[in-house]
Amino acid sequence: MMIKAGIIGGAGYTGGELIRLLINHPQVDIVFIHSRSNAGKLVTDVHTDLIGDTDLIFADTISQDIDVLFLCLGHGESTRFLQETPIDLSVKIIDLANDFRLVKDRNQPSLNRTFIYGLPELNREAIKTAQNIANPGCFATTIQMGLLPLASTGILKEIYTTGITGSTGAGQKLAATSHFSWRANNIQAYKTLTHQHLGEIGESLDQLQPGTEINLSFVPWRGDFTRGIFVSSTITTDLSLEELYRIFEDFYKGHPFTSVSRAPIFLKQVVNTNKAVVQLEKVGTKLVVHSAADNLLKGACGQAVQNMNLMFGLDERTGLNLKPIAF
Amino acid sequence: MMIKAGIIGGAGYTGGELIRLLINHPQVDIVFIHSRSNAGKLVTDVHTDLIGDTDLIFADTISQDIDVLFLCLGHGESTRFLQETPIDLSVKIIDLANDFRLVKDRNQPSLNRTFIYGLPELNREAIKTAQNIANPGCFATTIQMGLLPLASTGILKEIYTTGITGSTGAGQKLAATSHFSWRANNIQAYKTLTHQHLGEIGESLDQLQPGTEINLSFVPWRGDFTRGIFVSSTITTDLSLEELYRIFEDFYKGHPFTSVSRAPIFLKQVVNTNKAVVQLEKVGTKLVVHSAADNLLKGACGQAVQNMNLMFGLDERTGLNLKPIAF
Amino acid sequence: MMIKAGIIGGAGYTGGELIRLLINHPQVDIVFIHSRSNAGKLVTDVHTDLIGDTDLIFADTISQDIDVLFLCLGHGESTRFLQETPIDLSVKIIDLANDFRLVKDRNQPSLNRTFIYGLPELNREAIKTAQNIANPGCFATTIQMGLLPLASTGILKEIYTTGITGSTGAGQKLAATSHFSWRANNIQAYKTLTHQHLGEIGESLDQLQPGTEINLSFVPWRGDFTRGIFVSSTITTDLSLEELYRIFEDFYKGHPFTSVSRAPIFLKQVVNTNKAVVQLEKVGTKLVVHSAADNLLKGACGQAVQNMNLMFGLDERTGLNLKPIAF
Amino acid sequence: MMIKAGIIGGAGYTGGELIRLLINHPQVDIVFIHSRSNAGKLVTDVHTDLIGDTDLIFADTISQDIDVLFLCLGHGESTRFLQETPIDLSVKIIDLANDFRLVKDRNQPSLNRTFIYGLPELNREAIKTAQNIANPGCFATTIQMGLLPLASTGILKEIYTTGITGSTGAGQKLAATSHFSWRANNIQAYKTLTHQHLGEIGESLDQLQPGTEINLSFVPWRGDFTRGIFVSSTITTDLSLEELYRIFEDFYKGHPFTSVSRAPIFLKQVVNTNKAVVQLEKVGTKLVVHSAADNLLKGACGQAVQNMNLMFGLDERTGLNLKPIAF
């Protein structure tokens, strides 16, 4: 069986990364890649790194003869797109924006669609039977990898998290903070304590540890690299390091993309892969959980393909055995 | 059919990169990965980016029940290894060092082995029937991609080439010039006009354009990035740009990994892929050929796997449809 | 008046940076630069960026005809040096290692010397009359810039701090984590909750806010840049942002090198300067203080010169009006 | 004597760098910094790295009570500015754009001004008495440092040059090639054989070696760093390396900012300084000259201040003893 896939918004960063994955996916046929601004152009004219890999051309029309549609649009644009463009209800939808991630947005009667929050480590069974997926955010994914096992144990209360992200997290639009001359060798905090992913993280923690007011103070930093997110979260707990490691190892058992490491982790371990890594350290009653993932893969397009695999009954890893960049 | 493969020197940069490729190669079983210094350790203890991808353990013994043996040793060490360690003549050998690249070194009566210079764009037919391969150098590969079509036309005489290489080209040993504090944001020339790859390049040019004294002045630079080689070569010719583009396009027709681009190329187009890209520019009688490749893949391990594919009758691209890093 | 200065350990990172400052200081004569391993060599043979700037030669002898001696040795080596090498008590000493920073180490009867902790924003008056200075650590300086005004108000209790440092903070010795191929585009935590600067920070906080048990959970990260430290510290307080800004502005009034910014700060604002910048953000009861400084200047050699200026009655800024790198 | 200086175009990269130099210049008073788009704002609102260093405010008016006016405008805008804004002929002008660099543009009867090409190593005596200076380009300066001594010997004929430049060379405007996600870890050629600095270089070579047709094939590359230019030029000559070194050392004797190095040079030797370094290597009849400079300093603003110093009878180095970034 080949899955027939369409892509909306194929010219952006997530669109391009999704194409890079799907052209090598053994069970996917790309039916169309829609891009209003690039219709008629070769995909390789825009994603020039794909030279020699594909002859696909950007389309300005949408075929309904597909099994799954990926929405790679700006935040808020997915809703408008689906309202303006009727998509057969038989077509599964995977939305990479933040339109349908929050509980209040998951049921969309006007669209006749209900979305499942597509984090396999949290919702794998529901994803397998889902018709529509709200794909998690990149910081949200990486932070949750470090916190979900703790929530499942019911011990979360005050969490202090700092995270650093590569420039691709901010998309391809030009901005003062994306200028090479500024960003090279630089660090800056942004959206301190107000990052837009706090909502979806909070809801996932509440799903596993209901009834507790959990307070997450999150300070995101802009990093001077292009890919990846590294996060350290600190909490207070009386559990021993060994007990905590067992909780994490149990939680992620059977999840092929998330590894619990007893050796020091680092960002480049996961760059260009769909993997996440987690490491624990404890001094006194303070526990620090480090976690890392590639923002464009496990934090976006890789996870979208992982969700697609689950929805269509494939092995979760199909098409996602990616060679790490390593260096 | 599964190809049974062994790897000697699995702890270094090329050893690691080869493992990254072979664990995902659909027609290879890794029988052993030999590393004297790491025998008994998990491969993931050394190549930590492979966490979650493999349970392999470094071996200190060598099995003869293999179809192909990759030598990932330091330059000069392959000869000594083969002298000290009898390998069944039925086992094909692919050497990634520079021991057998030059014409004078290709025939090794004492080893009872003859090596073919493993550059598929130059020697594909010979590689298909080869028993032993001398895998080309990284700068040698990238420079030749820009020059071979010109040599095939017989117009080379004086060539001026500058190239820049990532830090992985120098291996994992610690040195003042590999210290982050020094290399970050830095550029330096090294081995000016005396780089060790000049010999193999010269012999390839002579193979295609025999009887001409071709003079290649090559200035290599250390770059402040980890992966990839970018090269610009300047020659004098009366051929038009269009004629030259046709020569290049004809030469690389049917070679899946080398693309001739009429748009400006750049280094990251090919990073984390087995591809090479080439672009031409001409003003007056001066032709500049730009070429780029990933030094660890098309310049080393990717090309080694490409050679293995050819030697075993597989599609050249098997296991080499790698997702570009893009950013 | 010219201050006659000697330097011990002139070949390392801090030795070199101190030389870069002192050769342009209008009121300093460098009498000798001692380096056991480089005696007789030109300073420019080691610190090659000083080409054209100085003819000084490394010495293997020490003159007592100096006013001040800078110790740029490894941690723990300053004590041994002073024990083995009698230095006239008339010579002021500025130690850049961590030998004399803690209260328990400041009084050294066997050396007949007492050290003052050389953080001008904390101890300026004491520094002016000090005979010996223990120069603060780089992380210690940057973190304290963000916390001292809060301690002076008596509101500190639980502090959660994450900081990122450039590679020069780890010195010039070669190590796996200082290899360019590893560190480029990478992030890693190290010494989680156990960094050696916690002691001196804690003592300074106690000096301003005695009698409170203050708990500082500090997660340091290795950054993929060479110079600078960026820190975010989170606490809980009911004071308003405006009240807090006034506290900071009052605290640093008259301190020329530390600026309180109401605009977002970033690391490169201070690189290649002796400045520190501090910014506050508040949501609910959570306050985040960002602070940044150059680890080799305000975090080491610049502060050492600032201390020297104060000790000799000069304007604090003499020789320290450095051009920011800006980009 | 204090020199009264005005700056036109103070908000751009060269404007900012010039301010960084002039606020610390011991013999300059900045009378105004003109910026149409930022009039009324603090200079530190735009050049935020100057926080704590200056209280200057951008002006929208121009005072004639100045001794020297620096034009930091886009190429072509200097002419228009001077046509529209009458500047007293008693005011000396230093133009950092390319408007008056070429012989045909140096004499401007309509402006009643004649410009001298402001490269001190070529024209120091003329600069001392000049009323108006055309400040050289950054690549032009760095390439000429490597070629002028050869031209003075009359041996130039065919030159092959490759150079790499930091991102600040392209100014602060946002462009696809200045996006961090693209430029990080990347290399690309641009303006191959057609760079706009070829004209001024050619005229300088002709000034020293008149009557020869000298052919310079120049391939510029975009580098993945922010500051600096590194260049390698290859020529053919029978002179020995020792003879060549003597020619270079004689040529630059008495020029404080250009050093001839017999040790390998590298880019970061000169970053954040007004210095240039040059190194020679020779194999057979091929000579390679490496040269490096900071594009914003010796390649722009530092050289502008050097020219000002010469025009006003000051020591050439006044205000230009800059601490190298080193790392």
Side-chain angles (χ1 to χ4, degrees):
Chain A
M1 185 202 76
M2 294 300 278
I3 302 166
K4 288 176 281 184
I7 298 172
I8 306 294
Y13 277 6
T14 54
E17 192 75 353
L18 190 61
I19 297 167
R20 278 175 211 110
L21 293 173
L22 294 184
I23 59 173
N24 288 325
H25 193 292
Q27 296 194 252
V28 168
D29 277 335
I30 300 178
V31 175
F32 64 84
I33 302 171
H34 187 269
S35 168
R36 203 162 306 174
S37 50
N38 294 283
K41 281 193 203 165
L42 285 165
V43 165
T44 52
D45 287 346
V46 172
H47 305 298
T48 52
D49 58 283
L50 289 174
I51 185 169
D53 293 337
T54 177
D55 296 327
L56 286 165
I57 288 173
F58 286 113
D60 57 359
T61 57
I62 289 167
S63 163
Q64 300 281 352
D65 185 18
I66 53 175
D67 301 307
V68 63
L69 183 65
F70 292 92
L71 304 184
C72 299
L73 298 168
H75 298 306
E77 294 178 29
S78 300
T79 312
R80 192 167 50 232
F81 172 82
L82 290 174
Q83 284 166 345
E84 294 175 357
T85 317
I87 300 293
D88 290 358
L89 288 178
S90 63
V91 175
K92 296 179 196 290
I93 287 180
I94 298 176
D95 178 40
L96 282 87
N98 67 4
D99 290 40
F100 312 114
R101 289 180 194 158
L102 298 184
V103 170
K104 69 178 174 59
D105 300 324
R106 289 182 193 165
N107 187 23
Q108 295 275 339
S110 73
L111 298 175
N112 215 356
R113 291 185 180 267
T114 299
F115 289 79
I116 296 292
Y117 185 67
L119 190 64
E121 285 80 359
L122 179 68
N123 291 332
R124 182 155 56 183
E125 291 313 307
I127 293 165
K128 285 181 180 173
T129 58
Q131 186 66 6
N132 308 289
I133 291 287
N135 211 59
C138 51
F139 258 131
T141 295
T142 314
I143 291 172
Q144 287 178 76
M145 290 301 106
L147 298 180
L148 293 182
L150 299 170
S152 77
T153 316
I155 63 170
L156 289 180
K157 199 154 167 224
E158 282 277 328
I159 312 163
Y160 294 86
T161 299
T162 302
I164 189 165
T165 180
S167 60
T168 52
Q172 69 188 354
K173 73 171 187 299
L174 301 170
T177 52
S178 69
H179 197 298
F180 184 85
S181 300
W182 186 84
R183 189 150 188 158
N185 308 308
N186 212 354
I187 299 287
Q188 184 178 48
Y190 73 106
K191 298 182 184 172
T192 299
L193 304 175
T194 61
H195 193 278
Q196 68 273 14
H197 290 175
L198 285 170
E200 54 183 291
I201 298 168
E203 291 186 353
S204 293
L205 299 183
D206 191 60
Q207 178 179 333
L208 294 179
Q209 185 182 339
T212 314
E213 196 185 335
I214 298 172
N215 194 10
L216 172 53
S217 298
F218 172 41
V219 182
W221 288 352
R222 293 184 172 102
D224 65 326
F225 47 88
T226 57
R227 273 180 178 266
I229 286 176
F230 190 94
V231 164
S232 294
S233 296
T234 304
I235 68 159
T236 306
T237 176
D238 288 326
L239 293 175
S240 74
L241 185 62
E242 188 51 39
E243 288 169 313
L244 290 158
Y245 259 121
R246 270 190 224 128
I247 289 164
F248 273 75
E249 286 163 355
D250 284 352
F251 191 89
Y252 290 119
K253 184 178 288 179
H255 287 285
F257 288 116
T258 300
S259 293
V260 181
S261 172
R262 294 185 180 229
I265 65 169
F266 52 91
L267 182 63
K268 283 203 293 190
Q269 271 185 291
V270 292
V271 170
N272 206 44
T273 79
N274 194 48
K275 299 190 289 187
V277 286
V278 181
Q279 180 207 352
L280 312 181
E281 299 195 82
K282 189 141 190 274
V283 174
T285 60
K286 299 297 183 189
L287 169 71
V288 178
V289 187
H290 310 295
S291 53
D294 185 314
N295 59 302
L296 288 175
L297 289 166
K298 184 60 179 169
C301 305
Q303 190 147 264
V305 172
Q306 186 182 356
N307 281 319
M308 181 198 73
N309 288 341
L310 288 169
M311 294 162 89
F312 287 88
L314 303 179
D315 184 307
E316 214 164 337
R317 292 164 297 188
T318 313
L320 292 173
N321 291 316
L322 302 170
K323 193 190 85 56
I325 190 73
F327 302 110
Chain B
M1 184 202 77
M2 294 300 278
I3 302 166
K4 287 177 281 184
I7 299 172
I8 306 293
Y13 278 4
T14 54
E17 192 76 352
L18 190 61
I19 297 168
R20 279 176 210 110
L21 292 175
L22 294 184
I23 59 173
N24 289 324
H25 193 292
Q27 296 195 251
V28 167
D29 277 334
I30 301 179
V31 174
F32 65 83
I33 303 171
H34 188 269
S35 167
R36 202 162 308 174
S37 49
N38 294 283
K41 282 194 203 165
L42 285 165
V43 165
T44 52
D45 287 345
V46 172
H47 305 298
T48 53
D49 58 283
L50 289 174
I51 186 169
D53 293 338
T54 177
D55 296 326
L56 286 165
I57 288 174
F58 287 113
D60 58 359
T61 57
I62 290 169
S63 163
Q64 300 281 353
D65 184 18
I66 51 174
D67 301 306
V68 62
L69 184 66
F70 292 91
L71 304 184
C72 300
L73 298 169
H75 299 306
E77 295 179 27
S78 301
T79 312
R80 191 168 53 232
F81 171 82
L82 290 174
Q83 284 165 347
E84 294 174 357
T85 316
I87 301 293
D88 290 357
L89 288 179
S90 63
V91 175
K92 296 179 195 289
I93 286 180
I94 299 176
D95 178 41
L96 281 87
N98 67 6
D99 289 39
F100 312 114
R101 290 180 193 157
L102 297 184
V103 169
K104 69 179 175 56
D105 300 323
R106 289 181 194 165
N107 187 23
Q108 295 276 339
S110 73
L111 299 174
N112 213 357
R113 292 185 179 270
T114 299
F115 289 80
I116 297 292
Y117 186 68
L119 190 63
E121 286 78 358
L122 179 69
N123 289 332
R124 182 156 55 183
E125 291 313 307
I127 293 165
K128 285 181 180 172
T129 59
Q131 186 66 6
N132 307 289
I133 290 288
N135 211 56
C138 51
F139 258 132
T141 296
T142 314
I143 292 172
Q144 287 179 77
M145 290 302 106
L147 298 180
L148 293 182
L150 299 169
S152 77
T153 316
I155 62 171
L156 289 179
K157 201 157 167 218
E158 281 277 330
I159 312 164
Y160 293 87
T161 299
T162 303
I164 188 165
T165 180
S167 59
T168 53
Q172 69 189 354
K173 74 169 186 301
L174 301 170
T177 52
S178 70
H179 197 298
F180 183 85
S181 300
W182 186 84
R183 188 150 188 159
N185 308 306
N186 212 355
I187 299 288
Q188 184 178 47
Y190 72 106
K191 297 182 183 172
T192 300
L193 303 176
T194 61
H195 194 278
Q196 69 272 16
H197 290 175
L198 285 170
E200 54 183 291
I201 298 168
E203 291 186 353
S204 293
L205 299 182
D206 191 61
Q207 178 179 331
L208 293 181
Q209 184 183 340
T212 315
E213 195 185 336
I214 298 172
N215 194 9
L216 172 53
S217 298
F218 172 40
V219 182
W221 289 352
R222 295 185 172 102
D224 64 327
F225 47 88
T226 58
R227 273 180 179 266
I229 286 175
F230 190 95
V231 163
S232 295
S233 296
T234 304
I235 69 160
T236 306
T237 175
D238 289 325
L239 292 176
S240 73
L241 185 62
E242 188 51 35
E243 288 170 311
L244 290 158
Y245 258 119
R246 270 190 224 128
I247 289 164
F248 273 74
E249 285 162 354
D250 283 352
F251 190 89
Y252 290 119
K253 184 178 287 181
H255 286 286
F257 287 116
T258 300
S259 293
V260 181
S261 172
R262 295 188 177 226
I265 65 170
F266 52 92
L267 182 63
K268 283 203 293 191
Q269 271 185 295
V270 293
V271 169
N272 206 45
T273 79
N274 194 48
K275 299 189 290 187
V277 286
V278 181
Q279 179 208 352
L280 313 181
E281 300 195 79
K282 190 147 191 267
V283 173
T285 60
K286 298 298 183 190
L287 169 72
V288 177
V289 187
H290 310 295
S291 53
D294 186 314
N295 58 302
L296 288 176
L297 289 166
K298 183 62 179 168
C301 306
Q303 190 147 263
V305 172
Q306 186 182 358
N307 282 319
M308 180 198 73
N309 288 341
L310 288 168
M311 293 162 90
F312 286 88
L314 303 179
D315 183 307
E316 214 164 336
R317 291 164 298 187
T318 312
L320 291 173
N321 290 316
L322 302 170
K323 194 192 85 58
I325 190 71
F327 303 109
Chain C
M1 185 202 76
M2 293 301 277
I3 302 166
K4 288 177 279 184
I7 298 172
I8 306 294
Y13 278 5
T14 53
E17 192 76 353
L18 190 61
I19 298 167
R20 278 175 211 109
L21 293 174
L22 293 184
I23 59 173
N24 289 324
H25 192 292
Q27 296 194 249
V28 168
D29 277 335
I30 301 178
V31 174
F32 64 83
I33 303 171
H34 187 270
S35 167
R36 202 161 308 173
S37 49
N38 293 284
K41 280 194 204 166
L42 284 165
V43 165
T44 52
D45 286 347
V46 172
H47 305 298
T48 53
D49 58 283
L50 289 175
I51 186 170
D53 293 337
T54 178
D55 295 327
L56 286 165
I57 288 174
F58 286 112
D60 57 359
T61 56
I62 289 169
S63 163
Q64 300 282 354
D65 184 18
I66 52 175
D67 301 306
V68 62
L69 183 66
F70 292 91
L71 304 184
C72 300
L73 298 168
H75 298 306
E77 294 179 28
S78 300
T79 312
R80 192 168 50 235
F81 171 82
L82 290 175
Q83 285 166 345
E84 294 174 357
T85 316
I87 301 292
D88 289 357
L89 287 179
S90 63
V91 175
K92 296 177 195 290
I93 287 182
I94 298 176
D95 178 40
L96 282 86
N98 66 6
D99 290 40
F100 311 114
R101 289 180 194 157
L102 297 184
V103 169
K104 70 177 173 59
D105 300 324
R106 290 181 193 164
N107 187 23
Q108 295 275 338
S110 73
L111 299 174
N112 213 356
R113 291 185 180 268
T114 299
F115 289 79
I116 296 293
Y117 185 67
L119 191 63
E121 286 79 0
L122 179 68
N123 290 332
R124 182 156 55 182
E125 292 312 307
I127 293 165
K128 286 181 180 172
T129 58
Q131 185 67 5
N132 307 289
I133 290 288
N135 211 57
C138 50
F139 258 131
T141 296
T142 314
I143 291 172
Q144 287 178 75
M145 291 301 107
L147 298 180
L148 293 182
L150 299 170
S152 76
T153 317
I155 64 170
L156 289 179
K157 202 157 164 219
E158 282 277 328
I159 312 164
Y160 293 86
T161 300
T162 303
I164 189 165
T165 180
S167 60
T168 52
Q172 70 188 353
K173 71 171 189 300
L174 301 169
T177 51
S178 69
H179 197 298
F180 184 86
S181 300
W182 186 85
R183 188 151 188 158
N185 308 306
N186 212 355
I187 300 287
Q188 185 178 47
Y190 73 106
K191 298 183 183 171
T192 299
L193 303 175
T194 61
H195 194 277
Q196 68 273 15
H197 290 174
L198 285 170
E200 54 183 290
I201 298 169
E203 292 186 352
S204 294
L205 299 182
D206 191 60
Q207 178 178 332
L208 294 180
Q209 185 182 342
T212 314
E213 196 185 335
I214 297 172
N215 194 9
L216 172 53
S217 298
F218 172 40
V219 182
W221 287 353
R222 293 185 171 101
D224 65 326
F225 47 89
T226 57
R227 273 180 180 266
I229 285 176
F230 189 95
V231 163
S232 295
S233 296
T234 304
I235 68 159
T236 306
T237 175
D238 288 326
L239 293 175
S240 74
L241 185 61
E242 187 52 34
E243 288 170 312
L244 290 158
Y245 259 120
R246 271 190 224 126
I247 289 165
F248 273 74
E249 286 163 354
D250 283 352
F251 190 90
Y252 291 119
K253 185 177 287 179
H255 286 286
F257 288 117
T258 299
S259 292
V260 181
S261 172
R262 294 186 179 229
I265 65 169
F266 52 91
L267 182 63
K268 283 202 293 189
Q269 271 185 294
V270 292
V271 170
N272 206 44
T273 78
N274 194 48
K275 298 189 289 187
V277 285
V278 181
Q279 179 207 352
L280 312 181
E281 299 195 81
K282 189 143 190 272
V283 174
T285 60
K286 298 299 182 189
L287 168 71
V288 178
V289 187
H290 310 294
S291 53
D294 185 314
N295 58 302
L296 288 176
L297 289 166
K298 183 61 180 169
C301 306
Q303 190 147 263
V305 172
Q306 185 182 356
N307 282 319
M308 180 197 73
N309 288 340
L310 288 169
M311 294 162 89
F312 287 88
L314 303 179
D315 184 307
E316 214 164 337
R317 291 165 297 188
T318 312
L320 291 173
N321 290 315
L322 303 170
K323 195 190 83 57
I325 190 72
F327 302 110
Chain D
M1 183 202 76
M2 293 299 278
I3 302 167
K4 287 177 280 182
I7 299 173
I8 305 294
Y13 278 5
T14 53
E17 193 75 353
L18 190 61
I19 297 168
R20 278 175 211 110
L21 293 174
L22 293 185
I23 60 173
N24 288 324
H25 193 292
Q27 296 194 252
V28 168
D29 277 333
I30 301 180
V31 175
F32 65 82
I33 304 171
H34 187 269
S35 167
R36 202 162 308 174
S37 49
N38 294 285
K41 281 193 203 167
L42 286 164
V43 164
T44 52
D45 287 345
V46 172
H47 305 299
T48 53
D49 59 282
L50 289 175
I51 186 170
D53 293 338
T54 177
D55 296 326
L56 286 166
I57 288 175
F58 286 113
D60 58 359
T61 56
I62 289 168
S63 162
Q64 300 282 351
D65 184 18
I66 53 175
D67 301 307
V68 62
L69 184 66
F70 292 91
L71 304 183
C72 299
L73 298 168
H75 298 306
E77 294 178 28
S78 300
T79 312
R80 192 167 51 232
F81 172 82
L82 290 175
Q83 285 165 345
E84 294 175 358
T85 316
I87 301 292
D88 290 357
L89 288 179
S90 63
V91 174
K92 295 180 196 288
I93 286 180
I94 299 176
D95 178 41
L96 282 87
N98 68 6
D99 290 40
F100 312 114
R101 290 179 193 156
L102 298 184
V103 169
K104 70 178 174 56
D105 300 323
R106 289 181 193 165
N107 187 22
Q108 295 276 338
S110 74
L111 299 175
N112 213 356
R113 291 185 180 270
T114 298
F115 289 79
I116 296 292
Y117 185 68
L119 191 64
E121 286 80 358
L122 180 67
N123 289 332
R124 183 156 54 184
E125 292 312 307
I127 292 166
K128 286 180 180 173
T129 59
Q131 184 67 6
N132 307 289
I133 290 289
N135 211 58
C138 51
F139 259 132
T141 296
T142 315
I143 291 172
Q144 287 178 75
M145 290 302 106
L147 298 180
L148 292 182
L150 299 169
S152 77
T153 317
I155 64 171
L156 289 180
K157 199 157 166 217
E158 281 277 328
I159 311 164
Y160 293 86
T161 299
T162 302
I164 189 166
T165 180
S167 60
T168 52
Q172 70 188 353
K173 72 171 186 300
L174 301 169
T177 51
S178 69
H179 197 298
F180 183 86
S181 300
W182 186 84
R183 189 150 188 159
N185 307 306
N186 212 356
I187 299 287
Q188 185 179 47
Y190 72 106
K191 298 183 182 170
T192 300
L193 304 176
T194 61
H195 194 278
Q196 68 272 14
H197 291 174
L198 286 170
E200 54 183 291
I201 298 168
E203 292 186 352
S204 294
L205 300 182
D206 191 61
Q207 178 179 332
L208 294 180
Q209 185 181 341
T212 314
E213 195 185 336
I214 298 173
N215 194 9
L216 172 53
S217 298
F218 172 40
V219 182
W221 288 353
R222 294 184 171 102
D224 65 328
F225 47 87
T226 57
R227 273 180 178 267
I229 286 175
F230 190 95
V231 163
S232 294
S233 296
T234 305
I235 69 160
T236 306
T237 175
D238 288 326
L239 293 175
S240 74
L241 185 60
E242 189 52 39
E243 289 170 312
L244 289 158
Y245 259 119
R246 270 191 225 128
I247 289 164
F248 273 74
E249 287 163 354
D250 284 353
F251 190 89
Y252 290 119
K253 183 177 289 181
H255 287 285
F257 288 115
T258 300
S259 292
V260 181
S261 172
R262 293 186 179 228
I265 65 169
F266 52 91
L267 182 63
K268 282 203 294 192
Q269 273 185 292
V270 292
V271 169
N272 205 45
T273 78
N274 193 49
K275 299 190 290 187
V277 286
V278 181
Q279 179 207 354
L280 312 181
E281 299 196 79
K282 190 145 191 269
V283 174
T285 60
K286 299 296 183 190
L287 168 72
V288 178
V289 186
H290 310 295
S291 53
D294 185 314
N295 58 302
L296 288 176
L297 288 166
K298 183 63 178 166
C301 306
Q303 189 147 264
V305 172
Q306 186 181 358
N307 282 319
M308 181 198 72
N309 288 341
L310 289 168
M311 293 163 89
F312 286 87
L314 302 180
D315 183 307
E316 213 164 338
R317 292 164 297 188
T318 312
L320 293 173
N321 290 316
L322 302 170
K323 194 192 82 60
I325 190 71
F327 302 109

